[in-house]
Amino acid sequence: MGFPFCGQIRSLQFPHLLFLGLTRHAVVCCLLQPVLDGSINLLHPSSNESSHVQGYCETEATLASSLDFWTVSSDNLIAVLPVDPVKENYVRKVKNCIFSIAFPTPFKSRVRLVAVSKEVLEDILDLDSSVSKTDDFIQLVSGKKIAFGSIPLAHRYGGYQFGIWADQLGDGRAHLIGIYTNRQGEKWELQLKGSGKTPYSRNGDGRAVLRSSVREFLCSEAMHYLGIPTSRAASLVVSDDEVWRDQFYNGNITKERGVCNTDNFSLLSITIDYGPFGFMENYNPDFVPNTSDDERRYKIGNQASIGMFNLNKLLQALNPLLDARQKQLAAQILEGYPVLYYTRFQKLFKAKLGLLGEREGDDDLIAFLLHLMEKTEADFTMTFRQLSEITQSQLLELNIPQQFWALKTVSKHKLFPAWVSQYLLRLESNMNDSDSERRKRMTTVNPRYVLKNWMAESAVQKAEKNDFSEVHLLQQVLRHPFQKHPAAEKAGYASPTPSWAKDLRVSCSS
């Protein structure tokens, strides 16, 4: 999962929308991603702000009830970026271009829609949600039908994987079907994922499997509702086509309903490519969700450095285009990254602790708590959530009710009373604040529900038996991650991780 990077870019401007298409066995996902355009500032998919294109108005428009007059365009891309002159779709070394024209490969077996984002359809694509029940829609998001105005493209790119130049990579199982400009004037890039082979498929089959697609569909929407800029998922379709995968690269190849993931870092400042992701459960700076990362290169405690590494590589790529003054300026900008990152980090954690204003010792207070959480292996999400719900008087008395199970874990450390004393003293310095206001404020930044691995795995196991009820439940719960949800509480989504899930692992084929 790409790490969110904060900044403004003044060149492109397209959000990213994914249509996840699976086969049952294989899968297709429909993704959307914001687009960058000319001198327009960065558009985040999670924002309602937009650049207004002449000819579009903000007045309420009737949502389309069919795809008859719904169009996309690839003109903005192929007019300014070189396209592969070879039109045949076969795996090869491609040169001197950014895109190859490649059409999706339809499934051979029956296809059905198992999940759709109503908000994406209506708020981004200007489609009434009833359209998702039509054959035209299912054919579009499964790759069988090409939208009017679309020239399907596969993106050619190279990059570093695990710190090593990997040469040509590219979209090995994804098709960019065009740019859609909605009634707000926002431009969104639409992509099918799991939609068949392209010239960049290498040894892959161009398909996606059920487990990875369910995870991507749920997590991209979860991130959006957490307020984190991200690509969006519009739909998830499954077929009965079969694919084969070696999930943990141990020689145990199994037949499933797959995957050519690369590590991506988005200049759009959005989180993308939900492959072997994982929300950190117990706080651990060495946490790595991906079993393929043997050297723990991408552990949570190293992500700031990885961001710097990636930006340095970008600068290296741009250097031949820059004059001496521009090179110096770019280097100076990059030197400011550590301070910018640290400042943002501090701001986020101060908000999570309900701290107002600037006080000496805030950094130490944050670091102290994280140290206690690491040593006690406390649940990261629920520790902060329960600090949002517990009263100051309960903390003062060190009276931690059983319902605050994550805090009780932290309280086992002998230094917990010392941290509580420092924390309560710091809260007293909040100007014009009260305990109820503090708790209200903190519950808006500390979620009660995130998509933990065991929750996604539970949904996947049921989905593999054609039961998508938990996918739909999670979709509903994760739309409101800061609010208590009776069904979520009953399902244990705010409870400790069940024992059966303690050793869950994901890989680049998960």
Side-chain angles (χ1 to χ4, degrees):
M1 180 171 66
F3 191 78
F5 168 67
C6 224
Q8 282 194 331
I9 307 192
R10 301 178 65 87
S11 59
L12 266 178
Q13 181 234 331
F14 304 145
H16 193 81
L17 183 61
L18 175 67
F19 291 104
L20 280 168
L22 326 167
T23 64
R24 163 78 92 212
H25 313 148
V27 181
V28 178
C29 187
C30 181
L31 282 176
L32 290 83
Q33 173 173 290
V35 179
L36 291 172
D37 225 9
S39 63
I40 299 175
N41 286 336
L42 172 67
L43 284 181
H44 285 164
S46 59
S47 171
N48 289 325
E49 298 177 0
S50 64
S51 302
H52 301 294
V53 178
Q54 191 170 2
Y56 289 86
C57 62
E58 286 187 279
T59 57
E60 287 195 18
T62 303
L63 297 176
S65 58
S66 77
L67 294 173
D68 292 347
F69 303 102
W70 190 83
T71 65
V72 299
S73 173
S74 303
D75 294 345
N76 285 7
L77 298 172
I78 62 177
V80 296
L81 297 171
V83 177
D84 183 6
V86 179
K87 298 300 186 287
E88 290 80 11
N89 186 7
Y90 62 94
V91 176
R92 63 187 185 274
K93 185 77 170 179
V94 181
K95 297 181 179 180
N96 303 321
C97 73
I98 301 298
F99 296 110
S100 292
I101 295 176
F103 284 78
T105 303
F107 295 123
K108 298 177 181 178
S109 59
R110 70 182 182 115
V111 177
R112 65 190 179 105
L113 182 73
V114 298
V116 67
S117 172
K118 181 176 183 290
E119 292 75 17
V120 166
L121 292 189
E122 297 187 348
D123 299 340
I124 295 176
L125 296 179
D126 304 329
L127 293 172
D128 189 276
S129 59
S130 62
V131 172
S132 66
K133 297 179 174 63
T134 65
D135 288 339
D136 278 351
F137 181 82
I138 294 176
Q139 289 182 24
L140 172 67
V141 300
S142 64
K144 186 175 182 179
K145 177 179 179 176
I146 304 300
F148 183 77
S150 170
I151 301 176
L153 303 170
H155 187 192
R156 172 179 175 260
Y157 57 87
Y160 288 80
Q161 293 188 324
F162 299 99
I164 300 172
W165 175 249
D167 201 40
Q168 175 177 294
L169 297 170
D171 290 335
R173 57 167 184 162
H175 294 79
L176 196 169
I177 61 175
I179 306 302
Y180 178 72
T181 305
N182 66 20
R183 64 188 187 277
Q184 279 94 26
E186 299 170 334
K187 293 187 177 182
W188 289 82
E189 176 184 293
L190 277 66
Q191 184 185 76
L192 295 176
K193 191 167 184 178
S195 44
K197 285 187 175 182
T198 75
Y200 313 104
S201 296
R202 292 170 285 174
N203 296 321
D205 57 21
R207 295 304 191 188
V209 296
L210 185 61
R211 64 171 181 274
S212 61
S213 299
V214 165
R215 287 165 55 84
E216 178 154 16
F217 179 84
L218 289 173
C219 194
S220 60
E221 292 303 278
M223 294 287 274
H224 170 70
Y225 289 108
L226 285 169
I228 300 171
T230 178
S231 59
R232 302 292 303 276
S235 62
L236 187 65
V237 298
V238 302
S239 80
D240 291 319
D241 291 16
E242 294 176 343
V243 296
W244 295 83
R245 292 293 183 270
D246 182 357
Q247 183 177 357
F248 297 113
Y249 310 109
N250 57 9
N252 295 321
I253 299 176
T254 57
K255 184 168 62 177
E256 299 191 19
R257 321 194 179 189
V259 180
C260 306
N261 286 346
T262 61
D263 301 314
N264 291 314
F265 190 81
S266 172
L267 280 179
L268 288 171
S269 305
I270 63 175
T271 311
I272 59 175
D273 194 21
Y274 294 85
F277 74 83
F279 280 88
M280 179 172 60
E281 298 188 15
N282 299 337
Y283 178 68
N284 176 11
D286 291 329
F287 169 70
V288 176
N290 184 2
T291 60
S292 308
D293 189 2
D294 298 329
E295 298 179 358
R296 295 183 176 271
R297 174 179 174 82
Y298 298 112
K299 64 183 181 182
I300 189 71
N302 202 36
Q303 288 198 349
S305 299
I306 293 301
M308 187 68 168
F309 175 89
N310 291 344
L311 290 172
N312 265 309
K313 295 304 179 185
L314 173 64
L315 181 56
Q316 287 180 22
L318 293 176
N319 264 335
L321 306 176
L322 307 178
D323 60 30
R325 177 183 166 278
Q326 290 171 327
K327 289 178 182 178
Q328 182 181 19
L329 181 60
Q332 289 174 352
I333 292 172
L334 197 53
E335 286 174 2
Y337 170 85
V339 173
L340 178 65
Y341 186 97
Y342 178 76
T343 301
R344 180 60 177 158
F345 177 91
Q346 184 195 52
K347 182 179 179 181
L348 286 171
F349 275 89
K350 286 180 65 175
K352 290 177 76 64
L353 287 173
L355 307 182
L356 301 178
E358 302 290 333
R359 297 291 185 275
E360 186 177 352
D362 283 350
D363 294 351
D364 293 336
L365 185 67
I366 295 167
F368 193 177
L369 175 60
L370 293 178
H371 172 76
L372 300 185
M373 292 170 63
E374 179 182 1
K375 294 303 180 183
T376 58
E377 300 182 348
D379 186 285
F380 179 81
T381 299
M382 292 309 295
T383 295
F384 283 99
R385 176 66 187 200
Q386 290 169 10
L387 275 173
S388 310
E389 297 176 348
I390 197 169
T391 65
Q392 288 181 227
S393 60
Q394 288 173 316
L395 276 176
L396 180 63
E397 298 168 5
L398 297 177
N399 176 24
I400 312 295
Q402 188 61 43
Q403 71 207 60
F404 299 134
W405 53 270
L407 271 182
K408 285 188 76 70
T409 298
V410 185
S411 71
K412 294 176 182 177
H413 198 286
K414 64 181 180 181
L415 295 179
F416 180 71
W419 180 83
V420 168
S421 296
Q422 292 182 26
Y423 180 51
L424 293 177
L425 186 63
R426 173 60 178 87
L427 289 178
E428 289 179 6
S429 68
N430 282 350
M431 298 293 292
N432 303 316
D433 198 23
S434 66
D435 191 39
S436 61
E437 285 298 315
R438 170 194 68 85
R439 285 182 282 137
K440 180 180 179 181
R441 188 169 63 248
M442 289 174 64
T443 54
T444 64
V445 295
N446 291 310
R448 188 167 179 85
Y449 312 111
V450 297
L451 185 64
K452 294 184 176 180
N453 267 344
W454 75 265
M455 295 156 61
E457 180 64 19
S458 178
V460 166
Q461 288 181 7
K462 291 178 181 176
E464 288 176 339
K465 299 174 183 176
N466 293 322
D467 177 1
F468 292 91
S469 60
E470 190 156 18
V471 171
H472 299 149
L473 173 61
L474 283 168
Q475 188 180 2
Q476 182 181 9
V477 168
L478 296 172
R479 287 180 65 247
H480 304 285
F482 303 99
Q483 302 173 14
K484 274 192 176 182
H485 191 291
E489 296 298 307
K490 183 178 180 180
Y493 294 163
S495 300
T497 299
S499 57
W500 63 264
K502 295 290 186 184
D503 298 319
L504 273 180
R505 302 181 300 157
V506 293
S507 73
C508 285
S509 187
S510 297

